[in-house]
Each structure stands twice: as C-alpha cells, then as structure tokens.
Amino acid sequence: MKKALAEAEAAFEKGEIPVGAVIVIDNKIIARAHNLTELLNDVTAHAEMQAITAASHFLGGKYLHQCTLYVTLEPCQMCAGALYWSQISHIVYGASDPQRGCINLNTKLHPKTTIKGGILAEEASDLMKRFFVEKRNLN
C-alpha cells in the first residue's frame, strides 16, 4: 500500500485527484499507476483502470488471476466493473468512499475476488483532504 500511496503523491503533484494503485503477483509489482483524468482529458483514466491495462500487458492476457490490487481509495463502480471482468483475485484499498465507492453502491465483484479496506486509510484520506483544501484555495 505504501507504493500505491507514492503513486497517489505523484498524482497530487500533477494536479490529479490523488489516487494511486499497484498490482502485485508473487510479491512482485507488475503495474503502477495513478489518476490521469486531467492530463489525458479522459474520465476513464482512473488509477485502477491504468493499472489493469498495464498488468494485462505485462502478463500477456486479460485475466489477473493470483493478482492483488492495492489502491488508495475504494474503487468506484466503473473500476469495480473492470476489476470484475479482469477476475482479479484480491483488492486491498485504503480510504473508503461512502458516496462513490463500490461497497455502498453494492457493485458486484467477481465471486472469487476478495476485498479488504482500511489499510493505511488515514494516510490516504489525509492526502485527499489536503488535495481538495489546496484546490479550493486556488479557485
């Protein structure tokens, strides 16, 4: 999760909403990503989506069996849908997103996917809060 937080910091520095993600298989990071929605002018360029694409390219296939996604914020419905189709084995997230997160919206994940939240949640949440405070003060 610390590597995902480093990715979130990179997003913060670029003026992106600070969400970072890494995908791991056999204790090896195979994908690193952060939000790029502003830079790419693409609403689908969430950290998770970027990481899924990178991991799929690394593995040479569309399924992420035996992989774990570490992401600093609970995935949204769009990302949860993509994670469903990737058949990722595990999702570990930091801060909860009660308004847009997949848990409260009852988004289905693949039946074999496990999900666990609250890992380094305070650090992830603090980074998000700092981002939005700075953003509001600039406007």
Side-chain angles (χ1 to χ4, degrees):
M1 186 61 79
K2 288 183 180 181
K3 300 290 186 187
L5 279 167
E7 287 294 324
E9 287 281 354
F12 183 97
E13 296 302 320
K14 293 177 181 176
E16 299 278 355
I17 294 176
V19 177
V22 297
I23 294 181
V24 174
I25 189 168
D26 296 327
N27 293 317
K28 179 182 176 187
I29 295 174
I30 61 169
R32 300 169 187 266
H34 53 269
N35 274 1
L36 293 172
T37 58
E38 299 299 324
L39 179 71
L40 298 178
N41 199 29
D42 180 355
V43 297
T44 68
H46 289 195
E48 300 95 322
M49 302 295 275
Q50 302 296 311
I52 291 167
T53 299
S56 295
H57 285 285
F58 179 88
L59 294 172
K62 61 184 177 181
Y63 297 120
L64 302 179
H65 300 144
Q66 284 96 43
C67 291
T68 301
L69 166 73
Y70 294 89
V71 62
T72 57
L73 184 66
E74 177 186 340
C76 70
Q77 281 188 305
M78 174 184 69
C79 294
L83 290 161
Y84 176 99
W85 292 111
S86 78
Q87 298 182 18
I88 196 158
S89 296
H90 310 284
I91 300 168
V92 179
Y93 68 88
S96 295
D97 187 350
Q99 293 181 335
R100 294 176 195 87
C102 64
I103 304 295
N104 273 354
L105 296 175
N106 296 317
T107 306
K108 290 193 185 261
L109 295 170
H110 193 273
K112 293 182 180 176
T113 300
T114 65
I115 187 165
K116 180 177 182 180
I119 308 303
L120 297 181
E122 189 172 329
E123 292 88 335
S125 182
D126 288 348
L127 184 58
M128 290 288 266
K129 289 174 188 170
R130 187 167 47 112
F131 175 81
F132 284 108
V133 164
E134 287 186 22
K135 190 124 178 112
R136 286 183 193 107
N137 287 338
L138 292 175
N139 294 331

